Amino acid sequence: MTRPDLAEVARRAGVSAATASRVLSGRGPASTASRDAVRRAAAELGYVPHPVARRLARGAGTRILFAVRDRRAGILHDPYVARAAAAMAAAVDPDGLGVSLRRLPLAATTALEAVAADRSVAAVVLAGHDRGLLDHLPAGLRGRTAAIGAGGTDVDSAAGIGALLRHLHDTGRRRIALVSGPRWLAASGAPLRAYTELTRAAGLPSRVVTGDFTAERGRAAAATVLRRWPDTDAIATVSDATALGVLQGLAAAGIRVPQDVAVTGFDDIPLASAYPGLSTATHPVEPIAQAAARAALGAPAPRRLFPSRPVLRATT
Amino acid sequence: MTRPDLAEVARRAGVSAATASRVLSGRGPASTASRDAVRRAAAELGYVPHPVARRLARGAGTRILFAVRDRRAGILHDPYVARAAAAMAAAVDPDGLGVSLRRLPLAATTALEAVAADRSVAAVVLAGHDRGLLDHLPAGLRGRTAAIGAGGTDVDSAAGIGALLRHLHDTGRRRIALVSGPRWLAASGAPLRAYTELTRAAGLPSRVVTGDFTAERGRAAAATVLRRWPDTDAIATVSDATALGVLQGLAAAGIRVPQDVAVTGFDDIPLASAYPGLSTATHPVEPIAQAAARAALGAPAPRRLFPSRPVLRATT
DNA sequence: CTGTTAGCGCGTTCAG
DNA sequence: CTGAACGCGCTAACAG
């Protein structure tokens, strides 16, 4: 009742273990005859390859590390991170691999060298990076690292948020503030550029407050906006959580939404539709995370941005 | 510049590889002298054991499989599942392990047998189970499987939801409906029993609608409740997503919350506090998932339920 | 195209 | 307490 072995399959098929290996792993040549024999023997015996042995022999690791660079330890509880991690964990299951999750400090180089030295790590998916980090990867990580977000596998946030901004403008909003992402993050650039271009082209004032994707900062940002620019008639954000915080902040100040101030988010988290009907743009986190995981494992990196569509609801 | 090997450490320490192994893995005896020598040699060489080789030699797998039983394929995108998967992926990182995520159909026995045959799986964490599944695990999975939810590592949902129900009663609600979890799920039992006991003890009518943790079903459930029992003055649910759906459904019917009908959720998802201030109860998903992962890997299973506290906000 | 021979790096008998 | 030898299951390099 013991599990059949590659050697046993080979014996039964009347070939050597090497040939059986070539057939079953799909690498290397094999005649049609032995191919059939091996496949049949494997099927009859109910042979299941041993992924761990396979990886050891090949010198490859058994897990992909999802490394998230952030200053907050709590980042690993972030819904975005969790969604991406889960999507990758589902994507690599068929390959017999697993996903590990780790936070990296903003100065991540040292930590990445330790990662490169860990033989159990097959590949790395990096999030929260800035420009420099990707260019200065440890040599051992080249070719098996993929970035998720700006510079890597990413959503077309400029298009999604740009469309929302245009809609605000089309519906008469003229003093639009933006709660952006943190400065140390590469992914903060695209939405900010989209905002800058649009306000410049339309001759609108530029009103930017730096946020960090949390609801708390959204609340604070709303207060800041109201204090510095009391006549603001729309607040765009780069995350639904922040937008919900903004809604709270506006409510606390007695501002009506959308009559006095319109609000938009980004991410289209499932609950954004539920209540109170937040206007936002879609963010296909799961497909992106999957593509990043595959790219890290050697698949060709998708050479386009994943589309983002505006979703208009009650807050605009 | 090649990575040092156990053999190299042994050579440098002047002992055999076997002794070095015994020292570094902590199993088997070793004299103080050789112990020190090996440790020093390892430190000097910067030796890092190879987790994959270690696992292969020991016959252990390299990943824990988070298997979620559900009828919907989309369950893997559920926020609860994602949070738990991410927490486990962070928890097992130090051990060099990864997490894979897979859905199991309601009739899961066959699928579990395939899992048992997969040598890359070190342990299994099961969610969405019912009574029978845990009692009829494949023999190969015994001792390396932990359940998350009722019957395993679980939150004290009866206490959390019970406290919310008591609060509704204390504040004058007398016709309280419950949107429960699905019947095929073991975890649906505890909240339902808490509800039944409380309504019976207080002489209140029993009004139960079956839900499934989604916002959509929450919307539908609100409509059902209003139709069947128009004088309902409170709706308790077993998930925040459902509660947000209920709020939508009530809003669509022109019902005021909490004046006409109070609403409670369960889970305390981060955004429940943001807007519109949903009353709910805490659900420490991350610690629970961590504990389940450790239990599956052989740690003693926590012998108590994880506490749930009511969090009262605007909807009650 | 195929078989033989070496590993991959470590754990674990079993004598001594 | 220690070392030699073998096993884990598979793949890669090399002749043929």
Side-chain angles (χ1 to χ4, degrees), chain B residues 4-51 54 58:
Chain B
D5 187 83
L6 181 63
E8 194 172 333
V9 173
R11 214 175 305 129
R12 176 162 190 136
V15 300
S16 74
T19 299
S21 168
R22 283 187 279 253
V23 170
L24 295 175
S25 67
R27 338 188 146 203
S31 69
T32 318
S34 49
R35 194 179 301 278
D36 289 349
V38 170
R39 294 236 169 94
R40 185 146 30 79
E44 287 167 2
L45 290 169
Y47 169 73
V48 180
H50 193 316
R54 195 170 245 185
R58 200 177 295 170

Side-chain angles (χ1 to χ4, degrees), chain B residues 89-170:
Chain B
V92 301
D93 174 28
D95 300 329
L97 300 176
V99 171
S100 304
L101 179 57
R102 188 182 303 175
R103 183 179 74 91
L104 260 37
L106 287 197
T109 313
T110 312
L112 281 178
E113 267 154 15
V115 171
D118 184 341
R119 318 284 291 268
S120 72
V121 173
V124 178
V125 172
L126 214 53
H129 53 277
D130 63 359
R131 292 274 145 61
L133 195 59
L134 294 186
D135 297 334
H136 298 290
L137 282 181
L141 251 36
R142 304 250 154 135
R144 55 191 187 110
T145 299
I148 186 172
T153 307
D154 197 13
V155 63
D156 193 351
S157 54
I161 290 175
L164 290 172
L165 290 170
R166 241 170 287 120
H167 174 260
L168 290 173
H169 184 257
D170 291 348

Side-chain angles (χ1 to χ4, degrees), chain A residues 6 21 27 47 50 54 57:
Chain A
L6 180 63
S21 168
R27 341 187 136 203
Y47 169 74
H50 194 318
R54 198 171 244 189

